[in-house]
Amino acid sequence: MNFDLTNDQKMLQREVRSFAETELAPVAPQIDVSGEFPWDNIKKMAKLGLLGIIVPEKYGGSEFDFVSLAVAIEEISRICASTGVIVAVNNSLVSYPILQFGTEEQKEKYLPPLCSADKLGAMGITEPNAGSDVAAMESTAKLEANHYILNGTKRFITNGGEAGIFVVFAYTDKDLKYKGISAFIIERDTPGFTLGKHEELMGIRATANCELIFEDAKIPKENLLGKEGDGFKICMNTLDVSRIDIGAQAVGISQGALEEAIKYSKERKAFGQLISNFEMIQGMLAEMATQIHAARLLVYYAGYCKDKGIPPRFSKEAAMAKYFAANMAVDVTRKAVQIYGGYGYTKDYAVERLYRDAKILELYEGTSEIHKIVIARELLR
Amino acid sequence: MDIIVCIKRVPQTAEAKVEIESSGKDIVKDRLTFDMNESDMYALEEAVLLKEKFGGTIIAISLSCSDAEDTLRIALAKGADTAIRIKAEDFDELDGYKTAQLLSAVIKDIHFDVIFTGCIATDDAYSQIGATLAELLGIPHATLLTNIEVIDSISHVHRELEGGLQEHIEISIPALFTIQTGINVPRYASLIAIRRAAGKEIKLVGQNEISKDQLLLNTQIEELFIPPVAKQVKIITGSPGEVSKELAGIIREKGLI
Ligand SMILES: Cc1cc2nc3c(=O)[nH]c(=O)nc-3n(C[C@H](O)[C@H](O)[C@H](O)COP(=O)(O)OP(=O)(O)OC[C@H]3O[C@@H](n4cnc5c(N)ncnc54)[C@H](O)[C@@H]3O)c2cc1C
């Protein structure tokens, strides 16, 4: 058993941390207010290879493993949660399914621009009437000659407003229930594809969250990802993987909050002494550190399982990591605000933003309730 | 252009609480994080910029304990071609002169056009290594470089002087330059470069390769201590007009504006 990061993971951690502290830190509070998409930093990160961490070098990626991906997302999210999820989506929700289920032509065509951020990735599963219940989706795709004609609306799509390459799910055969869902790679300039409402979010506000509207959109036949009917499998498989980096995002946000809280507790005085002298403050700090540590181990372990292929289905591990880490992050950032007192409730301090950022973790890529269902289903098999 | 960059791994003490070890001769290091010395990062970047312009190779060299291999690998990831660690554990106590001696013992057998070092190490702040090493190797040197205009048999470089002055000097290479922070913007290593560097071997040089006979230790640390904090508080009293007048006087007198 070995809990050490490898040489390359340690170096990656150092470089990403240094990049985040220097380049992301000044921008993070600004884009939280403005909602502006951090293109400059995304381009810089693409140059370093962070947009294609898990993609093989021959497709323009950096060819690291999933533990490394978790380490990188954690370091980015420690400073800027928006940037963390933008990068996570590009890696796990878009590059990964293309890599795993795409044809050689699809990989050669779509992975290089995703890695270089010439075209950013977004993934559309959720619809106005289908969130947790993925199979309730109403989007349909009909094959007509050489094109699929896609109709439907995808809601809440991270990166949606700025992406160039979309992985989108729709029914090719409603009668087959979830086995009739298919996945498509869709380019931004596809005729019949427009952007809808841009969401004003509570947290992760710079993530170009947007509705995708397909009205008789013409998708070339060769852009089917996998086979017809593979969509649900691709979706679930991809969500398993991306739960590693949502867990990592939770760990990063929480680590940032803990560091802020420690610093503040050693500066702020009440009743004639530093608040860090109060045992109740110490208790919160101790709980936070322990919670973060536990979540980090779960997340790294899920990444490790994916990298080693053990167990063959690591859904449970990934779901436990994401579920625990998401709850943990909401609790830890809440404690950080508590330690700051009234100041933590103002925009003058980062913990206010971190608390809002953390809440999304319990919602997206499967709510906490859905995660518990996944875990329990594995237990009761 | 063959370039050697001397690199030190130092504790990061800017935000840490520094405590003195029980021996009284070192600081407590077990809870500190370590990284490449700041001005060495600029020295390394300056080397990489020259290599990009003129080709050649970069050798990163560090006299340090084995933990510093991480730091040397970072240098490899950022553009150094090879890395050498002189095993500090083989050579007992060190000072600036002995460090320069050890570096020169290795460097004298390597071809180079330029040697870069940082201008100062942020831990012991000796600022001795660059100049001493140049003397031992019998080559000219210039310290505190803020700009390299031309690098050639006749090179033109700028040095930083006190009071915001710059000195422009002409110097022939091979030469040694100590690099000031801010001369460039050090790059981040790309992930691919990191992956390549992770597998690279670091060449080790120790007491089998370097004779200890000629090594001199000229200075020894007697005691390390944290200077007592002197409290200098002046409370100004009087009417707002008087107070602000006196305050303005003090600020002007101390040269703060
Ligand atoms: C900021 C943000 C970014 C997002 N990014 C993306 C994206 O990039 N791509 C994408 O496709 N989607 C994205 N989503 C959508 C997200 O994944 C969904 O919002 C989420 O899956 C929940 O679906 P819903 O909102 O429809 O909630 P619902 O499914 O309507 O759930 C409402 C409540 O009911 C609970 N519930 C539902 N079913 C059960 C059950 N069987 N048992 C117990 N409780 C249940 C839920 O847990 C929740 O508490 C994003 C959402 C947000 C807010």
Side-chain angles (χ1 to χ4, degrees):
Chain A
M1 190 163 215
N2 186 355
F3 285 102
D4 290 331
L5 296 180
T6 58
N7 274 341
D8 51 353
Q9 287 164 346
K10 275 191 272 181
M11 280 196 269
L12 171 145
Q13 187 177 44
R14 177 203 185 272
E15 288 300 285
V16 180
R17 178 171 301 179
S18 144
F19 178 88
E21 287 175 352
T22 314
E23 314 288 335
L24 302 182
V27 181
Q30 292 167 12
I31 60 177
D32 172 55
V33 175
S34 68
E36 191 189 331
F37 197 78
W39 265 120
D40 279 358
N41 280 330
I42 296 299
K43 293 278 182 198
K44 285 187 207 164
M45 296 170 92
K47 279 217 179 77
L48 298 181
L50 287 164
L51 275 285
I53 298 176
I54 47 140
V55 176
E57 220 178 309
K58 68 170 168 171
Y59 303 120
S62 304
E63 209 165 323
F64 272 73
D65 59 14
F66 282 90
V67 171
S68 309
L69 176 65
V71 170
I73 298 297
E74 178 185 331
E75 289 301 332
I76 297 167
S77 306
R78 173 174 161 261
I79 303 292
C80 181
S82 283
T83 309
V85 71
I86 294 166
V87 174
V89 165
N90 202 70
N91 271 285
S92 306
L93 281 187
V94 184
S95 300
Y96 174 76
I98 294 177
L99 188 62
Q100 198 67 15
F101 301 100
T103 62
E104 192 53 38
E105 290 73 42
Q106 288 170 340
K107 291 182 209 178
E108 278 168 17
K109 182 165 180 196
Y110 293 113
L111 291 174
L114 284 167
C115 293
S116 65
D118 281 348
K119 290 179 179 168
L120 206 64
M123 187 203 232
I125 309 167
T126 307
E127 297 185 359
N129 296 318
S132 302
D133 185 2
V134 172
M137 70 172 60
E138 292 161 357
S139 294
T140 56
K142 244 202 224 106
L143 185 61
E144 283 178 14
N146 286 329
H147 288 86
Y148 283 95
I149 307 300
L150 205 142
N151 281 288
T153 299
K154 296 293 173 182
R155 179 161 289 171
F156 292 145
I157 307 309
T158 304
N159 293 352
E162 299 289 339
I165 297 168
F166 299 76
V167 172
V168 173
F169 297 82
Y171 272 104
T172 40
D173 189 342
K174 265 238 120 135
D175 297 339
L176 294 175
K177 302 271 173 52
Y178 71 92
K179 286 187 174 163
I181 298 175
S182 300
F184 301 89
I185 306 172
I186 301 180
E187 296 187 38
R188 177 65 194 87
D189 55 9
T190 301
F193 170 24
T194 50
L195 297 178
K197 181 176 172 229
H198 189 105
E199 303 293 344
E200 275 293 335
L201 301 175
M202 167 178 165
I204 58 160
R205 290 178 37 77
T207 51
N209 195 293
C210 196
E211 216 171 37
L212 317 180
I213 299 170
F214 300 95
E215 292 164 309
D216 288 333
K218 278 181 80 174
I219 322 294
K221 198 172 129 193
E222 63 271 18
N223 281 26
L224 177 70
L225 183 60
K227 296 192 299 291
E228 271 195 24
D230 280 354
F232 195 77
K233 182 183 79 185
I234 293 174
C235 179
M236 291 304 138
N237 204 299
T238 302
L239 287 178
D240 277 351
V241 165
S242 79
R243 279 167 188 156
I244 301 169
D245 29 289
I246 299 308
Q249 194 195 9
V251 173
I253 292 172
S254 308
Q255 180 67 36
L258 173 63
E259 288 170 25
E260 296 287 341
I262 291 174
K263 204 164 66 192
Y264 189 76
S265 73
K266 295 203 282 193
E267 287 164 4
R268 177 71 178 172
K269 283 188 174 159
F271 297 95
Q273 54 184 313
L274 291 173
I275 61 168
S276 59
N277 287 342
F278 299 131
E279 287 182 3
M280 277 195 248
I281 298 287
Q282 292 174 7
M284 275 197 274
L285 292 173
E287 283 164 13
M288 291 158 83
T290 310
Q291 288 172 291
I292 295 169
H293 189 51
R296 183 180 285 121
L297 290 176
L298 278 176
V299 170
Y300 285 5
Y301 180 67
Y304 171 85
C305 287
K306 174 66 190 158
D307 289 329
K308 300 278 184 236
I310 44 164
R313 294 191 65 240
F314 77 110
S315 301
K316 188 178 79 186
E317 274 65 34
M320 283 176 163
K322 193 269 189 183
Y323 160 65
F324 182 85
N327 278 322
M328 175 286 292
V330 174
D331 193 44
V332 163
T333 52
R334 182 185 61 75
K335 284 173 179 149
V337 171
Q338 196 64 21
I339 288 171
Y340 267 76
Y343 295 93
Y345 200 65
T346 71
K347 300 236 177 246
D348 292 343
Y349 294 94
V351 290
E352 180 268 345
R353 165 169 50 92
L354 299 177
Y355 187 31
R356 284 184 287 109
D357 285 342
K359 180 58 207 173
I360 188 57
L361 299 157
E362 294 184 317
L363 299 169
Y364 64 13
E365 311 219 3
T367 62
S368 292
E369 291 71 31
I370 295 303
H371 277 78
K372 283 189 269 193
I373 293 173
V374 172
I375 297 162
R377 193 187 294 139
E378 292 286 331
L379 297 176
L380 299 171
R381 272 148 86 89
Chain B
M1 176 97 30
D2 291 335
I3 307 164
I4 292 174
V5 187
C6 300
I7 282 169
K8 187 175 189 183
R9 173 178 177 270
V10 295
Q12 306 294 296
T13 48
E15 283 176 33
K17 194 171 162 197
V18 176
E19 289 164 33
I20 309 293
E21 208 190 40
S22 58
S23 72
K25 297 191 178 187
D26 206 345
I27 56 171
V28 179
K29 289 182 176 151
D30 50 3
R31 250 174 288 136
L32 296 174
T33 55
F34 287 75
D35 205 344
M36 194 183 297
N37 177 47
E38 193 188 6
S39 54
D40 299 359
M41 294 189 209
Y42 292 85
L44 175 64
E45 177 65 22
E46 207 54 28
V48 178
L49 291 171
L50 283 185
K51 181 179 135 178
E52 283 174 348
K53 218 159 150 193
F54 300 111
T57 59
I58 299 173
I59 301 175
I61 174 164
S62 182
L63 167 62
S64 48
C65 59
S66 62
D67 290 350
E69 288 181 14
D70 285 355
T71 307
L72 279 172
R73 276 209 190 80
I74 289 284
L76 289 169
K78 289 188 196 249
D81 299 281
T82 46
I84 303 172
R85 181 172 77 83
I86 308 175
K87 292 154 77 179
E89 63 270 27
D90 280 6
F91 298 100
D92 314 315
E93 214 174 316
L94 296 168
D95 66 357
Y97 186 76
K98 191 169 160 189
T99 300
Q101 272 193 309
L102 283 162
L103 288 167
S104 83
V106 175
I107 294 173
K108 69 176 173 27
D109 298 326
I110 303 174
H111 174 265
F112 65 87
D113 300 295
V114 179
I115 300 175
F116 287 133
T117 73
C119 61
I120 189 168
T122 53
D123 53 355
D124 57 30
Y126 286 159
S127 275
Q128 289 176 3
I129 309 303
T132 315
L133 176 59
E135 285 304 309
L136 290 171
L137 291 167
I139 57 170
H141 76 269
T143 55
L144 288 162
L145 257 57
T146 52
N147 185 18
I148 296 180
E149 247 178 56
V150 184
I151 197 124
D152 207 333
S153 51
I154 304 292
S155 304
H156 289 263
V157 299
H158 295 188
R159 300 182 56 230
E160 181 178 288
L161 303 180
E162 288 294 310
L165 281 179
Q166 298 270 332
E167 183 179 77
H168 174 172
I169 61 167
E170 200 182 281
I171 184 169
S172 63
I173 60 167
L176 182 146
F177 301 112
T178 82
I179 302 293
Q180 175 62 296
T181 56
I183 187 173
N184 52 42
V185 182
R187 71 196 60 199
Y188 304 99
S190 76
L191 267 57
I192 287 185
I194 286 172
R195 199 158 43 73
R196 303 239 157 88
K200 276 198 185 165
E201 204 186 320
I202 288 168
K203 190 177 162 202
L204 298 180
V205 180
Q207 56 191 349
N208 295 338
E209 291 79 15
I210 304 172
S211 151
K212 289 166 94 167
D213 298 346
Q214 310 285 319
L215 298 175
L216 282 179
L217 188 73
N218 292 329
T219 53
Q220 268 168 299
I221 294 171
E222 286 296 318
E223 186 196 356
L224 273 185
F225 61 92
I226 293 172
V229 184
K231 280 199 180 149
Q232 290 186 315
V233 179
K234 178 169 179 154
I235 299 187
I236 307 167
T237 53
S239 70
E242 287 162 1
V243 170
S244 50
K245 199 167 160 207
E246 191 174 346
L247 187 61
I250 294 171
I251 292 173
R252 206 173 297 124
E253 186 186 308
K254 302 250 180 211
L256 298 175
I257 44 171

